[in-house]
Amino acid sequence: MSETSTSTTNGPDAGTTPEPSRLTFDLDVDICVVGAGLAGLTVALEAARLGASVAVLEGRHVGWNASGHQLGTVMPGYGLPIADLIARIGFEDTREIWTLSKEGAESIRANTSEQLMPGIALSEGALEVSNVDVGDQLISRLQMLGEDFETEVEGWQVDRVRDHLKTDRYFHGVYYPKAFQVDGRKYVHGLAALARRAGARIFEETPVVSIDSSGIRKRIVTPSARLRASHIVLAGNIHLGAPLRRLSRTLLPVWRYAAVTAPLGERLAEAITFQGSVTDTDGIDHFRIVDGDRLMWASPETTWNARPERFAPAVARRIRTIFPQLGRVEISETWGGAVGHTVHGMPQIGQLRRGLWVTSGFGRQGMNTSAMAGRLIARSILWGDERWRLFSPFELVWAGGPTGRVAGHLIGIWGRGSSAAAGALARYRERARAKDRQRDVRLAEANRQAGTRPPRPRPPPGQPRPERPGPPATVPSGEGEPAMARSQESENFTPGPV
Ligand SMILES: Cc1cc2nc3c(=O)[nH]c(=O)nc-3n(C[C@H](O)[C@H](O)[C@H](O)COP(=O)(O)OP(=O)(O)OC[C@H]3O[C@@H](n4cnc5c(N)ncnc54)[C@H](O)[C@@H]3O)c2cc1C
């Protein structure tokens, strides 16, 4: 397993992790889970609740990687857009797996009451904002989500988005009233506590170095003990390594970094009044207010592992780009974790061979999807529920090794660059339209005072002047037509797809 970047000083795990307990004796269980992140712990919790004997083996400690360093936003759906899902697996199956993703989110809600996880701080609502001005697409998206996929959503016009987020960077928005957020970094430890309470045994500092999954009873080897289990669930994400190297190679590792600012006082309330999570449609920014007047913000990504504190200036700059009125912001904590992206963009959920399971590749949206996967796998092992097969079309595809990482990095840069360019173009067009409107008003006023029609545009150099039209029968008011002609002109100024 390679090293991963976690938090800087005063890290999120401080004070929340119980003493690690290493496995030092041999054990026989029904289910052995490899990895104590969100994916492994949800399988353990669900299976233990259904009565199985479960051992979780974690090479470092609970929530060591992404699961202990995420922002806690729980939304329905997947990293892959619905339209792409429909194209790949058809409408009916897309509806089914969408419903499963909502069930995953609701199972998190059921586990995150203050009673079950004290201090988890659940709050409601998430807003997905667009970096470009595509109101027409918003309507069809709302219709699809609301009517076809029975997801509660509200469309927010630009003005409403900007009432809550005072920036010209964002245009329309989709509000998810049923989405919610919790203290993401506490959640993984709460999950471990619930799994332990349900009877699962979690062993930390216990890396799995090899598995033999050929027999009915499978063998699992760690440096200090051996296990036998009827089922092995591989939930090691990009760090799985030796137990099944070919599986790790189907994931493109991407390190994502986040930060929280020092208290920003009143100026934050003036810039942002929305209290839930905000994500943009290009997956670049993800933020929300925490502790009343601090901003928690995830943004930069790399395809190599780096120290999170190096990204503090980048996060501060990004915040200032979106909300310049906040001025200089001080970053008080940074952290990061590696997420695993699959080539097709969907998680890996299913059975590789009899009794050998995989739950991985959750990318940036791992909360609801890993919760859903945990339920599906536990229910299949114990109840024979076969719905995990809905994920079979998303096979294990090699992610391209080091070359894949370089390509992934370049695609990431290109994607961010092109969405930044699209955003800049959308804002340019918006400013141009506003200027046009102002000019038209001034022109109309000047015409009204002079009692004339607006001057005709000069022909380009080298072209003959068109014939002068005869005097109009009546003097027009000067309003309406010129504005429309100009706004059409600016509408037509579209050098590329927006
Ligand atoms: C900054 C950031 C913010 C995010 N915010 C959100 C968010 O708001 N909402 C959301 O839905 N998602 C979010 N995500 C994504 C989410 O965190 C991940 O998708 C999810 O945590 C993946 O969980 P996992 O259990 O698959 O992997 P991991 O968290 O990587 O856990 C895998 C565990 O397996 C262990 N392991 C690996 N190999 C072995 C082995 N051989 N033996 C023993 N143990 C092993 C590792 O040590 C590790 O602890 C965010 C991610 C980041 C980085």
PDB file of all heavy atoms in Angstrom, residues 461-478:
ATOM      1  N   PRO A 461     -15.663  48.251 -44.350  1.00  0.00           N
ATOM      2  CA  PRO A 461     -14.858  48.943 -45.374  1.00  0.00           C
ATOM      3  C   PRO A 461     -14.795  48.129 -46.658  1.00  0.00           C
ATOM      4  O   PRO A 461     -14.711  46.902 -46.597  1.00  0.00           O
ATOM      5  CB  PRO A 461     -13.462  49.055 -44.735  1.00  0.00           C
ATOM      6  CG  PRO A 461     -13.573  48.538 -43.340  1.00  0.00           C
ATOM      7  CD  PRO A 461     -14.929  47.991 -43.138  1.00  0.00           C
ATOM      8  N   GLY A 462     -14.868  48.815 -47.796  1.00  0.00           N
ATOM      9  CA  GLY A 462     -14.770  48.120 -49.087  1.00  0.00           C
ATOM     10  C   GLY A 462     -16.116  47.696 -49.637  1.00  0.00           C
ATOM     11  O   GLY A 462     -16.229  47.323 -50.789  1.00  0.00           O
ATOM     12  N   GLN A 463     -17.160  47.770 -48.858  1.00  0.00           N
ATOM     13  CA  GLN A 463     -18.480  47.362 -49.366  1.00  0.00           C
ATOM     14  C   GLN A 463     -19.312  48.595 -49.666  1.00  0.00           C
ATOM     15  O   GLN A 463     -19.219  49.593 -48.923  1.00  0.00           O
ATOM     16  CB  GLN A 463     -19.185  46.506 -48.323  1.00  0.00           C
ATOM     17  CG  GLN A 463     -18.714  45.062 -48.357  1.00  0.00           C
ATOM     18  CD  GLN A 463     -19.595  44.195 -47.488  1.00  0.00           C
ATOM     19  OE1 GLN A 463     -20.751  44.503 -47.239  1.00  0.00           O
ATOM     20  NE2 GLN A 463     -19.011  43.098 -47.029  1.00  0.00           N
ATOM     21  N   PRO A 464     -20.131  48.524 -50.743  1.00  0.00           N
ATOM     22  CA  PRO A 464     -20.924  49.726 -51.082  1.00  0.00           C
ATOM     23  C   PRO A 464     -21.956  50.017 -50.012  1.00  0.00           C
ATOM     24  O   PRO A 464     -22.462  49.118 -49.368  1.00  0.00           O
ATOM     25  CB  PRO A 464     -21.600  49.328 -52.404  1.00  0.00           C
ATOM     26  CG  PRO A 464     -21.616  47.837 -52.390  1.00  0.00           C
ATOM     27  CD  PRO A 464     -20.420  47.400 -51.600  1.00  0.00           C
ATOM     28  N   ARG A 465     -22.195  51.291 -49.827  1.00  0.00           N
ATOM     29  CA  ARG A 465     -23.218  51.701 -48.886  1.00  0.00           C
ATOM     30  C   ARG A 465     -24.591  51.297 -49.439  1.00  0.00           C
ATOM     31  O   ARG A 465     -24.851  51.518 -50.626  1.00  0.00           O
ATOM     32  CB  ARG A 465     -23.168  53.229 -48.782  1.00  0.00           C
ATOM     33  CG  ARG A 465     -23.465  53.777 -47.443  1.00  0.00           C
ATOM     34  CD  ARG A 465     -23.182  55.271 -47.462  1.00  0.00           C
ATOM     35  NE  ARG A 465     -22.224  55.620 -46.453  1.00  0.00           N
ATOM     36  CZ  ARG A 465     -22.534  55.700 -45.155  1.00  0.00           C
ATOM     37  NH1 ARG A 465     -23.759  55.459 -44.750  1.00  0.00           N
ATOM     38  NH2 ARG A 465     -21.636  56.011 -44.280  1.00  0.00           N
ATOM     39  N   PRO A 466     -25.469  50.686 -48.685  1.00  0.00           N
ATOM     40  CA  PRO A 466     -26.791  50.354 -49.238  1.00  0.00           C
ATOM     41  C   PRO A 466     -27.574  51.614 -49.554  1.00  0.00           C
ATOM     42  O   PRO A 466     -27.300  52.673 -48.979  1.00  0.00           O
ATOM     43  CB  PRO A 466     -27.444  49.562 -48.095  1.00  0.00           C
ATOM     44  CG  PRO A 466     -26.706  49.918 -46.864  1.00  0.00           C
ATOM     45  CD  PRO A 466     -25.325  50.329 -47.292  1.00  0.00           C
ATOM     46  N   GLU A 467     -28.558  51.446 -50.464  1.00  0.00           N
ATOM     47  CA  GLU A 467     -29.342  52.634 -50.841  1.00  0.00           C
ATOM     48  C   GLU A 467     -30.046  53.201 -49.647  1.00  0.00           C
ATOM     49  O   GLU A 467     -30.533  52.465 -48.782  1.00  0.00           O
ATOM     50  CB  GLU A 467     -30.375  52.229 -51.893  1.00  0.00           C
ATOM     51  CG  GLU A 467     -29.782  52.329 -53.263  1.00  0.00           C
ATOM     52  CD  GLU A 467     -30.837  52.082 -54.297  1.00  0.00           C
ATOM     53  OE1 GLU A 467     -32.028  52.281 -54.017  1.00  0.00           O
ATOM     54  OE2 GLU A 467     -30.442  51.664 -55.386  1.00  0.00           O
ATOM     55  N   ARG A 468     -30.066  54.513 -49.629  1.00  0.00           N
ATOM     56  CA  ARG A 468     -30.719  55.171 -48.513  1.00  0.00           C
ATOM     57  C   ARG A 468     -32.217  54.938 -48.621  1.00  0.00           C
ATOM     58  O   ARG A 468     -32.797  55.179 -49.663  1.00  0.00           O
ATOM     59  CB  ARG A 468     -30.418  56.668 -48.643  1.00  0.00           C
ATOM     60  CG  ARG A 468     -30.250  57.375 -47.366  1.00  0.00           C
ATOM     61  CD  ARG A 468     -30.002  58.854 -47.688  1.00  0.00           C
ATOM     62  NE  ARG A 468     -30.361  59.622 -46.524  1.00  0.00           N
ATOM     63  CZ  ARG A 468     -29.542  59.767 -45.502  1.00  0.00           C
ATOM     64  NH1 ARG A 468     -28.350  59.230 -45.532  1.00  0.00           N
ATOM     65  NH2 ARG A 468     -29.933  60.459 -44.452  1.00  0.00           N
ATOM     66  N   PRO A 469     -32.857  54.479 -47.588  1.00  0.00           N
ATOM     67  CA  PRO A 469     -34.303  54.289 -47.717  1.00  0.00           C
ATOM     68  C   PRO A 469     -35.032  55.626 -47.722  1.00  0.00           C
ATOM     69  O   PRO A 469     -34.501  56.611 -47.210  1.00  0.00           O
ATOM     70  CB  PRO A 469     -34.652  53.492 -46.460  1.00  0.00           C
ATOM     71  CG  PRO A 469     -33.587  53.820 -45.473  1.00  0.00           C
ATOM     72  CD  PRO A 469     -32.361  54.158 -46.271  1.00  0.00           C
ATOM     73  N   GLY A 470     -36.183  55.609 -48.293  1.00  0.00           N
ATOM     74  CA  GLY A 470     -36.989  56.824 -48.290  1.00  0.00           C
ATOM     75  C   GLY A 470     -37.445  57.170 -46.896  1.00  0.00           C
ATOM     76  O   GLY A 470     -37.329  56.348 -45.993  1.00  0.00           O
ATOM     77  N   PRO A 471     -37.894  58.367 -46.690  1.00  0.00           N
ATOM     78  CA  PRO A 471     -38.316  58.763 -45.343  1.00  0.00           C
ATOM     79  C   PRO A 471     -39.480  57.913 -44.866  1.00  0.00           C
ATOM     80  O   PRO A 471     -40.344  57.547 -45.649  1.00  0.00           O
ATOM     81  CB  PRO A 471     -38.727  60.233 -45.519  1.00  0.00           C
ATOM     82  CG  PRO A 471     -38.968  60.399 -46.973  1.00  0.00           C
ATOM     83  CD  PRO A 471     -38.144  59.383 -47.681  1.00  0.00           C
ATOM     84  N   PRO A 472     -39.458  57.554 -43.601  1.00  0.00           N
ATOM     85  CA  PRO A 472     -40.552  56.735 -43.101  1.00  0.00           C
ATOM     86  C   PRO A 472     -41.857  57.507 -43.074  1.00  0.00           C
ATOM     87  O   PRO A 472     -41.847  58.729 -42.942  1.00  0.00           O
ATOM     88  CB  PRO A 472     -40.107  56.386 -41.673  1.00  0.00           C
ATOM     89  CG  PRO A 472     -39.170  57.477 -41.290  1.00  0.00           C
ATOM     90  CD  PRO A 472     -38.526  57.944 -42.557  1.00  0.00           C
ATOM     91  N   ALA A 473     -42.916  56.727 -43.228  1.00  0.00           N
ATOM     92  CA  ALA A 473     -44.225  57.383 -43.198  1.00  0.00           C
ATOM     93  C   ALA A 473     -44.463  57.991 -41.827  1.00  0.00           C
ATOM     94  O   ALA A 473     -44.975  59.075 -41.696  1.00  0.00           O
ATOM     95  CB  ALA A 473     -45.310  56.366 -43.516  1.00  0.00           C
ATOM     96  N   THR A 474     -44.061  57.230 -40.781  1.00  0.00           N
ATOM     97  CA  THR A 474     -44.181  57.781 -39.427  1.00  0.00           C
ATOM     98  C   THR A 474     -42.854  57.554 -38.721  1.00  0.00           C
ATOM     99  O   THR A 474     -42.121  56.629 -39.038  1.00  0.00           O
ATOM    100  CB  THR A 474     -45.267  57.037 -38.623  1.00  0.00           C
ATOM    101  OG1 THR A 474     -44.980  55.657 -38.712  1.00  0.00           O
ATOM    102  CG2 THR A 474     -46.655  57.335 -39.108  1.00  0.00           C
ATOM    103  N   VAL A 475     -42.533  58.375 -37.782  1.00  0.00           N
ATOM    104  CA  VAL A 475     -41.278  58.198 -37.050  1.00  0.00           C
ATOM    105  C   VAL A 475     -41.476  57.122 -35.974  1.00  0.00           C
ATOM    106  O   VAL A 475     -42.358  57.271 -35.130  1.00  0.00           O
ATOM    107  CB  VAL A 475     -40.849  59.535 -36.396  1.00  0.00           C
ATOM    108  CG1 VAL A 475     -39.576  59.342 -35.592  1.00  0.00           C
ATOM    109  CG2 VAL A 475     -40.664  60.585 -37.472  1.00  0.00           C
ATOM    110  N   PRO A 476     -40.675  55.997 -36.049  1.00  0.00           N
ATOM    111  CA  PRO A 476     -40.863  54.949 -35.047  1.00  0.00           C
ATOM    112  C   PRO A 476     -40.342  55.380 -33.690  1.00  0.00           C
ATOM    113  O   PRO A 476     -39.542  56.299 -33.596  1.00  0.00           O
ATOM    114  CB  PRO A 476     -40.027  53.778 -35.582  1.00  0.00           C
ATOM    115  CG  PRO A 476     -38.982  54.412 -36.439  1.00  0.00           C
ATOM    116  CD  PRO A 476     -39.566  55.706 -36.943  1.00  0.00           C
ATOM    117  N   SER A 477     -40.786  54.703 -32.676  1.00  0.00           N
ATOM    118  CA  SER A 477     -40.375  55.078 -31.323  1.00  0.00           C
ATOM    119  C   SER A 477     -38.894  54.756 -31.080  1.00  0.00           C
ATOM    120  O   SER A 477     -38.291  55.287 -30.194  1.00  0.00           O
ATOM    121  CB  SER A 477     -41.192  54.301 -30.302  1.00  0.00           C
ATOM    122  OG  SER A 477     -40.774  52.957 -30.297  1.00  0.00           O
ATOM    123  N   GLY A 478     -38.333  53.894 -31.949  1.00  0.00           N
ATOM    124  CA  GLY A 478     -36.927  53.538 -31.740  1.00  0.00           C
ATOM    125  C   GLY A 478     -36.745  52.390 -30.772  1.00  0.00           C
ATOM    126  O   GLY A 478     -35.644  51.946 -30.544  1.00  0.00           O
TER     127      GLY A 478
END
